[in-house]
């Protein structure tokens, strides 16, 4: 080229586009802002589901882990001996057992009905201490009360039997009634059974 301006040498200047630094800065700031908002939202979700940093959640967790009381077993209402009529039958070959046993039961407050030898169905056929027999309604009422007076006696019910009387049929292994003090303790245990554990702790 001629004239006032000449290009010398074998290198030519490169034509570069002006850098858009302003746009890059703006994009960077926007990206940081988006990441910040996203991170904050994630933390909030974690707090909601884990209860972190939330006093209400902490209280709820403590309440869930607190000791829970278990209701105690309610005492049973059993009939008193004075309301129970007992028929005493002797199924052994030893004489006088029925009357002797009836007298002792009377001292302990029971009403005494018939006193006699056992019927053929049971006579000389009861090998244990004895058999307690009553209507179905007596299974959880009067039979357990009488059973406390003769430990080991077998309890039976007859669905066809009417009335509230129960039978004590003396067996071959019978020697005497349970000692009164022991019978009284057994009655107390029946009326007021051991309570269930007072509390259970929930695993946290």
């Amino acid at each position: 080229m001629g004239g006032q301006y000449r290009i010398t040498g074998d290198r030519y200047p490169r034509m570069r586009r002006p850098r858009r630094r302003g746009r890059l800065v703006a994009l960077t700031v926007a990206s940081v802002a988006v990441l910040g908002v996203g991170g904050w939202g994630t933390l909030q979700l974690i707090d909601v589901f884990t209860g972190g940093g939330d006093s209400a959640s902490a209280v709820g967790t403590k309440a869930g882990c607190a000791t829970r009381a278990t209701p105690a077993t309610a005492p049973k209402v059993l009939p008193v001996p004075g309301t129970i009529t007992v028929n005493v039958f002797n199924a052994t070959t030893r004489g006088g057992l029925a009357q002797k046993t009836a007298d002792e039961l009377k001292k302990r407050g029971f009403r005494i009905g018939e006193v006699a030898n056992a019927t053929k169905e049971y006579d000389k056929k009861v090998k244990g201490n004895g058999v307690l027999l009553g209507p179905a309604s007596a299974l959880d009422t009067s039979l357990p009360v009488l059973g406390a007076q003769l430990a080991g006696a077998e309890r039976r019910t007859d669905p066809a039997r009417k009335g509230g009387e129960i039978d004590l049929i003396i067996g071959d292994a019978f020697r005497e009634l349970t000692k009164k003090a022991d019978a009284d303790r057994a009655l107390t245990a029946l009326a007021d059974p051991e309570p269930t554990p007072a509390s259970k702790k929930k695993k946290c």
Side-chain angles (χ1 to χ4, degrees):
M1 295 177 65
Q4 185 178 357
Y5 301 98
R6 295 183 181 180
I7 299 174
T8 59
D10 56 357
R11 294 184 180 180
Y12 297 92
R14 297 182 179 178
M15 303 300 289
R16 296 180 180 178
R17 295 181 180 178
R19 297 179 180 177
R20 299 179 180 178
R21 294 182 179 177
R23 292 185 178 181
L24 290 176
V25 172
L27 288 175
T28 301
V29 172
S31 299
V32 171
V34 170
L35 290 175
V37 172
W40 181 81
T42 301
L43 289 175
Q44 292 301 311
L45 287 175
I46 292 174
D47 285 344
V48 168
F49 288 103
T50 63
D54 188 346
S55 59
S57 297
V59 171
T61 303
K62 290 181 181 178
C65 297
T67 300
R68 294 183 178 181
T70 301
T73 304
K76 292 182 179 179
V77 179
L78 295 172
V80 296
T83 62
I84 300 173
T85 299
V86 183
N87 302 314
V88 184
F89 300 109
N90 185 3
T92 75
T93 57
R94 291 173 286 163
L97 285 182
Q99 188 61 58
K100 182 179 178 180
T101 302
D103 291 343
E104 180 60 28
L105 286 174
K106 186 175 182 179
K107 290 179 183 178
R108 300 185 185 189
F110 290 88
R111 294 180 178 178
I112 302 301
E114 185 179 357
V115 179
N117 291 325
T119 61
K120 290 183 179 180
E121 182 182 358
Y122 294 100
D123 190 29
K124 301 179 183 63
K125 297 177 183 178
V126 179
K127 302 303 179 183
N129 280 346
V131 173
L132 308 182
L133 180 64
S137 60
L139 181 61
D140 296 319
T141 55
S142 54
L143 281 182
V145 175
L146 181 59
Q149 313 302 318
L150 183 58
E154 181 184 354
R155 301 176 193 176
R156 299 180 185 177
T157 58
D158 181 1
R161 185 165 180 164
K162 305 298 181 181
E165 294 185 358
I166 56 178
D167 300 341
L168 190 164
I169 306 170
I170 299 172
D172 292 337
F174 177 86
R175 293 296 176 268
E176 62 181 2
L177 293 174
T178 301
K179 298 295 183 183
K180 187 176 186 306
D182 295 334
D184 290 343
R185 280 194 289 269
L187 283 175
T188 300
L190 283 172
D192 191 10
E194 288 293 328
T196 56
S199 61
K200 293 182 180 180
K201 289 186 177 180
K202 180 182 178 182
K203 292 183 178 180
C204 301

